[in-house]
Each structure stands twice: as structure tokens, then as C-alpha cells.
Amino acid sequence: MNIVLGITGGIAAYKSPDLVRRLRERGAEVQIVMTASAEEFVTGTALQAVSGRPIRSNLWDKEAEAAMSHIELARWADIVLIAPSTAEVMARIVSGGAPDLLTTICLATEAPIALAPAMNHIMWSNPATQANREVLEERGIHIIGPGIGSQACGETGPGRMLDPDAIAATVFNLTGGKGQGLLEGRKLVVTAGPTREAIDPVRYITNRSSGKMGYAIASAAAAQGADVILVSGPVNLPEPPGLRVVNVESAEQMYAATHEAIIDADIFVSAAAVADYRPENAALQKIKKNEESMSLVLVRCPDILASVAALDSAPFTVGFAAETENVAEYARGKLEKKNLDMIVANRVGPDCGFDRDDNSATVLWSDGEQNFPVSSKARLARDLIELATQRFLAARGTDTQPRLSIISTKD
Ligand code: PMT
């Protein structure tokens, strides 16, 4: 697939080399076209090195135009992707203006166009930007994201460029392109987030899981070409592009949704922090505070992970273990007791694990283990998906030669 990757002037341009790598590892040829302001944020030298092609930026560069003119570039592209896309370039495309190479290509191409916006959340919410987004969508231009979260300006809200993996997966889905993802043709089910167990109509028992780890795993699997169903507890995260999300609330609902999704699945990753216990009887009306103390009778919730691993046609089953002490020892106990193929042991506490953008883990299987030091959850998720895929293929006897190099951090 031939991709013209337009890079415009936003701080998210620092993610561009990673995005180029994600597109190229899926088999795409990437021709970068930078605007003048993009050059303020990322160097052409770095981008040329990762894309393997000379960078284009100037509509009036005679030598470059002689090699491949802007019209030829517009024809060459199977898709024009602009990431990051500023509010300014959105407005220019809406107006039909073409003062530079990138917007000229947008005007001259018949290929699909996709924009991954990245800007301050107030700029994104501005009625002018939203009106431009609507016009672009009406014209069939794809808008990928943006995500919600903390921003370079120190504020929080919608406007973050999505993770390069997620953008790459969406681009390949949009074009129906077959990449070279490790999980092409495979089905994965991932659970993520907490569950809520009702005490009465206004109160519930829950935990500190944000869903970030599970969502990152689902995105990483989709980026490798898998058909992913993400069964999600209540979280405050945008739906990742390129996969199906089933929203649930309680452990029982997550159990039912997982068993519905699991049919024909190749791999199951249980990253959700599912309640172990729930109130035996949720009150139908709000409980009044009449007594000095009160007791709740709790009963066990179904163990989703163990029940999937026990299926006759169980998929390759990956559990998580969230522990505050004896992390590896307790995790190995769960690996054996629940009859899992692999378990990801992570320490949780006030300064690690839950509701953060980073994590570390030790992955255990019957006769081995591997440590992953602290990294972003997106990076860790990619490493975990690669390792799970290797072990899945080895277990199924379809490929005992690892196709990936994983940096072993085992001490
Ligand atoms: O969501 P984040 O804020 O990003 O945080 C990530 C995380 C810490 C929640 C995640 O990395 C993690 O560790 N998830 C598993 C949390 C957990 O419930 O661990 P556990 O050790 O209590 O459970 C062991 C395994 O059994 C888990 O795979 C769990 O999904 C599964 N389980 C547990 C109980 C239950 N009733 N059903 C289950 O399937």
C-alpha cells in the first residue's frame, strides 16, 4: 500500500517516526510530505531515515517535482494520511485552498484522505473546528481520533493524537489493505477495566482499574491485524478504532459477554479487574442510613478467566495477576490453579499499576518467564502481544520460529 503521510506543525509530530515504522512494518510504502511548520517539531533527517524515501516539503522544488510531481504523488497514493493534523490544515482542506504541497495533493488526489487531529482541547472544541470536522466528514474524509487525555500544554481533554499503532490499524482497515500483521486472520478477545457490583441503585463496589492496560492490549492486537473484541467495564476512555467494543458493568455481565465473544477466538487476554465478590442482594431502593453500622453479605462472582481456560475448545489463555506483594509467586499460583497458558504479573499500589500511563510486568508460563521493565502501557502492550503471539504459535505448532526479536530483560 502506498501512503502519502502528511505531517503538519503540532507537538504530536514527535510521534511521526514511530507512526512511519508502524505503517512500514505492516507492509506500506510511506512518502512523507511535511509542511513548513512541521519542520519546527521534527527533523526531515530522522523521517527520511525511517521512511527510506526523500522527504517532500516544497511545491516549488524543481528537482523533486521532476522526479515525482505533486500530481504523480496524488495518483501514487492509495491513501493520504495527515498525522498530526492541525486545526489550520483542517480549515485549509475545507476551504479548498492549496498554498503548499500537502494541501495541493489533497486537492489533486482521488485516494481516500484521513486526518488524525492533534491540538489543544479548546481549539478542538471550538465551533469553527467542529464545523470544519463536520464538513470534512460529510465529504467522506476520515477523522481518526482525537483521543482524550493530558496534553502537552498541561491541560486535559480531547485533542491528543491517537497512538501510532491505532492510527496504523485504522488506516489499513479503511483501505481494506492486508498488512503483514502477526495476527492477521486471528481473533482475540480482551477484557479491560473494572466491574461495578451494585449495592443499591446508587452505590456499588468497584476498584481502581482505569482500563488503560486492557485498551492498550486490544489496540496492539488490532494493529497486528487481529479481529478484536474488547469487552469493557465502565471506563472513561475513547473507543479504540478498528475493533469491536462490548460495554458491560458487572462481573456477571462481563462473564456473559465474554462467553458470547469467545467462540472461535484464538487468544483470550483477561486484563480486566473483575470483582471477586458482589453483594448477595442488591437493594431495589436506596438504602437508608438508619443503623449505626451495617453488614453486607458478599458472594463470589464467576471467575471469567478460569471458566474460559476450562472450555473444551479453550483459546490460548492469558491472565493478569495484580498483586501488592510476592508478585511472581502469587502469579505462578494463579497460572497453575486456573490452568492458563501465560500470566502477566504486575505490581499494583499507590504508585504503580492502576490508572497510570506506564506499567512493568513479569510474564510467566509453565517453564519460563520474562521481565518487562517500566514503559508506557502502549509499549508494554505491544511487547505482550508479540510474546503472546510467539507462544500461541509455538503451542499450536504452526510456527516454532519466533518471527520477532524481543529484547529479553530477564535477569
Ligand atoms: O486498568 P488499568 O488502570 O490500566 O490497570 C491495569 C491493571 C492493573 C488492572 C491490569 O494490568 C491487571 O493487573 N488486571 C488484572 C486485575 C485483576 O483482577 O487481577 P487478579 O489477580 O485479581 O485476577 C487474576 C486474573 O483473573 C485476571 O486476569 C482477572 O481478569 C481474572 N479474573 C479475576 C476475577 C474474576 N471474577 N474473574 C476473572 O476473570
Side-chain angles (χ1 to χ4, degrees):
M1 176 155 72
N2 295 337
I3 300 176
V4 166
L5 173 60
I7 303 175
T8 65
I11 183 66
Y14 81 89
K15 296 180 184 170
S16 299
D18 193 22
L19 175 57
V20 175
R21 287 184 52 225
R22 302 290 146 219
L23 294 168
R24 290 198 72 196
E25 71 188 17
R26 296 173 72 86
E29 279 292 321
V30 180
Q31 173 61 59
I32 292 170
V33 176
M34 293 173 81
T35 62
S37 21
E39 289 170 356
E40 301 289 326
F41 294 94
V42 63
T43 71
T45 319
L47 290 165
Q48 180 157 327
V50 285
S51 68
R53 301 173 75 96
I55 304 306
R56 295 291 304 270
S57 52
N58 185 356
L59 183 56
W60 310 112
D61 180 337
K62 289 195 179 62
E63 214 174 290
E65 279 287 303
M68 191 176 336
S69 73
H70 58 280
I71 297 295
E72 283 170 301
L73 265 180
R75 288 196 195 119
W76 173 85
D78 292 312
I79 185 165
V80 177
L81 166 66
I82 304 183
S85 166
T86 56
E88 159 67 13
V89 84
M90 289 172 69
R92 253 186 284 153
I93 296 172
V94 166
S95 74
D100 55 23
L101 180 60
L102 181 58
T103 42
T104 306
I105 291 172
C106 288
L107 212 51
T109 193
E110 287 181 328
I113 299 176
L115 309 183
M119 65 196 76
N120 165 275
H121 68 104
I122 297 170
M123 291 173 76
W124 173 250
S125 307
N126 187 295
T129 311
Q130 288 306 309
N132 286 337
R133 178 190 56 76
E134 271 175 37
V135 172
L136 291 168
E137 285 181 331
E138 276 164 19
R139 292 182 192 162
I141 291 178
H142 304 279
I143 306 292
I144 306 174
I148 302 168
S150 57
Q151 301 199 291
C153 54
E155 295 173 3
T156 302
R160 276 167 68 111
M161 188 170 93
L162 289 185
D163 184 71
D165 258 348
I167 296 174
T170 310
V171 165
F172 273 80
N173 281 346
L174 286 175
T175 53
K178 278 280 152 217
Q180 295 170 345
L182 291 170
L183 289 167
E184 220 64 65
R186 304 289 186 184
K187 177 177 168 183
L188 259 91
V189 177
V190 180
T191 63
T195 61
R196 286 180 184 166
E197 309 304 325
I199 297 170
D200 68 15
V202 296
R203 304 178 180 98
Y204 51 78
I205 298 173
T206 190
N207 59 63
R208 295 180 190 279
S209 170
S210 64
K212 288 179 180 176
M213 191 72 244
Y215 272 53
I217 287 178
S219 293
Q224 290 293 355
D227 171 17
V228 180
I229 300 181
L230 172 60
V231 182
S232 174
V235 298
N236 192 16
L237 298 173
E239 286 196 0
L243 48 83
R244 282 176 285 166
V245 181
V246 181
N247 291 304
V248 299
E249 193 157 306
S250 66
E252 284 189 344
Q253 288 169 359
M254 188 172 275
Y255 178 95
T258 301
H259 278 275
E260 195 172 315
I262 210 74
I263 299 159
D264 297 336
D266 296 290
I267 300 177
F268 174 55
V269 183
S270 183
V274 190
D276 290 319
Y277 291 92
R278 64 171 172 81
E280 183 176 31
N281 296 307
L284 293 177
Q285 305 300 334
K286 183 179 172 191
I287 299 170
K288 294 294 180 197
K289 51 177 182 298
N290 297 329
E291 310 297 331
E292 272 311 301
S293 65
M294 68 173 284
S295 303
L296 277 176
V297 176
L298 302 178
V299 294
R300 286 291 292 265
C301 293
D303 190 316
I304 303 167
L305 177 61
S307 69
V308 169
L311 291 172
D312 284 342
S313 54
F316 185 87
T317 305
V318 182
F320 266 74
E323 306 292 350
T324 54
E325 57 175 352
N326 304 330
V327 179
E329 182 193 331
Y330 288 157
R332 195 163 282 287
K334 287 177 183 173
L335 176 80
E336 287 162 10
K337 189 165 170 229
K338 300 193 187 197
N339 197 23
L340 309 178
D341 294 296
M342 229 173 83
I343 194 156
V344 182
N346 52 186
R347 187 178 292 279
V348 290
D351 56 355
C352 56
F354 287 124
D355 200 10
R356 300 168 56 92
D357 290 331
D358 58 18
N359 200 7
S360 63
T362 302
V363 181
L364 309 161
W365 56 95
S366 61
D367 57 357
E369 63 181 73
Q370 185 166 339
N371 290 328
F372 293 89
V374 177
S375 66
S376 70
K377 282 182 176 168
R379 164 78 200 271
L380 178 61
R382 283 202 294 272
D383 289 345
L384 294 176
I385 282 296
E386 289 179 358
L387 178 58
T389 306
Q390 274 187 13
R391 299 212 56 76
F392 159 72
L393 293 174
R396 295 292 184 271
T398 46
D399 183 357
T400 48
Q401 295 300 314
R403 283 188 284 164
L404 294 147
S405 55
I406 290 185
I407 302 158
S408 174
T409 50
K410 189 171 173 185
D411 345 278

